């Protein structure tokens, strides 16, 4: 028997060295690696899911996105989302982002501990695929997440991490033009009517 382990606790890979492979979640199971027929639900490098929803004001992160990677991520607080986040494994996802007063944009994000930086806290880091000429801290950001791309990973260098995130961006940009994903651009959750009466 060949064994694929899916630890229920994060950062515990070292406890499973006896397994043939340790994966982060069942989203990463590749039956063809084990002589079984492949799953057929992957489309152009993405795994579609029922849409799920996260939103709130944009909070300060660790100030690393723009400065260290040149990739700004409009962090959301994980507070109040423990249920949603425990239903969805850490990893790289994509979907649509609605910003109050601005519009709806394509989005690619990571959820997790950023293995390259080994964060102590789980973070939600959406990169809106649009050039903004200013910050938008405290603005309401609503996300409709429609698919999965890959698990979070560690990288041998900052350059290889950055290159991978740009590849994720391309995968997400292309996929979001498919009818399967583009239809969620019209989800009412993205059209935020601010509670502050703006
Ligand atoms: P932080 O660590 O505080 O999240 P970042 O360096 O990741 O700082 O920058 C994120 C901030 O940059 C966001 O909160 C937002 O105000 C701004 N920003 C500008 N353009 C974008 C973009 N395309 N996607 C996400 N955030 C952006
Ligand atoms: N950090 C990692 O350590 N490993 C990853 O595989 C990873 N993938 C990412 C994918 C995307 C699309 C984005 C937007 C970010 C990703 N990051 C990853 C997170 C990145 O390290 C984080 O946004 C910065 O550290 C800013 O806090
Ligand atoms: Mg950020």
């Amino acid at each position: 028997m060949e064994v694929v382990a899916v630890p229920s606790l994060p950062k515990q890979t070292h406890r499973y060295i006896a397994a043939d492979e340790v994966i982060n979640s069942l989203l990463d199971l590749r039956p063809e690696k084990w002589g079984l027929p492949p799953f057929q639900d992957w489309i152009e490098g993405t795994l579609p899911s029922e849409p799920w929803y996260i939103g709130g004001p944009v909070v300060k992160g660790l100030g690393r996105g723009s400065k260290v990677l040149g990739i700004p991520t409009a962090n959301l607080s994980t507070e109040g989302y423990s249920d949603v986040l425990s239903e969805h494994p850490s990893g790289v996802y994509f979907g649509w982002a609605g910003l109050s007063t601005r519009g709806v944009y394509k989005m690619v994000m990571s959820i997790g501990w950023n293995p390259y930086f080994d964060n102590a806290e789980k973070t939600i880091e959406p990169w809106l695929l649009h050039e903004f000429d200013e910050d938008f801290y405290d603005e309401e950001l609503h996300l409709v997440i429609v698919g999965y791309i890959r698990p979070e990973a560690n990288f041998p260098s900052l350059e290889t991490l950055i290159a991978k995130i740009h590849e994720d961006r391309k995968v997400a940009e292309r996929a979001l033009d498919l009818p399967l994903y583009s239809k969620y651009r019209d989800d009412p959750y993205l059209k935020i009517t601010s509670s502050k009466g703006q």
Side-chain angles (χ1 to χ4, degrees), residues 96-111:
W96 296 98
L99 257 185
S100 56
T101 77
R102 291 176 201 264
V104 175
Y105 308 95
K106 291 178 175 178
M107 176 279 299
V108 64
M109 72 196 290
S110 78
I111 295 182

Side-chain angles (χ1 to χ4, degrees), residues 7-70:
S8 56
L9 298 169
K11 303 184 181 187
Q12 299 297 316
T13 312
H14 59 280
R15 294 176 188 261
Y16 298 85
I17 45 173
D20 295 289
E21 190 187 18
V22 182
I23 56 178
N24 184 57
S25 76
L26 288 174
L27 299 176
D28 303 321
L29 185 64
R30 297 292 175 272
E32 64 273 23
K33 277 192 186 173
W34 311 103
L36 297 166
F39 290 141
Q40 308 221 306
D41 39 5
W42 282 79
I43 298 161
E44 298 192 17
T46 67
L47 180 66
S49 65
E50 282 301 305
W52 46 289
Y53 301 87
I54 320 180
V58 175
V59 300
K60 287 261 173 196
L62 297 169
R64 219 160 39 200
S66 321
K67 282 198 203 85
V68 180
L69 303 170

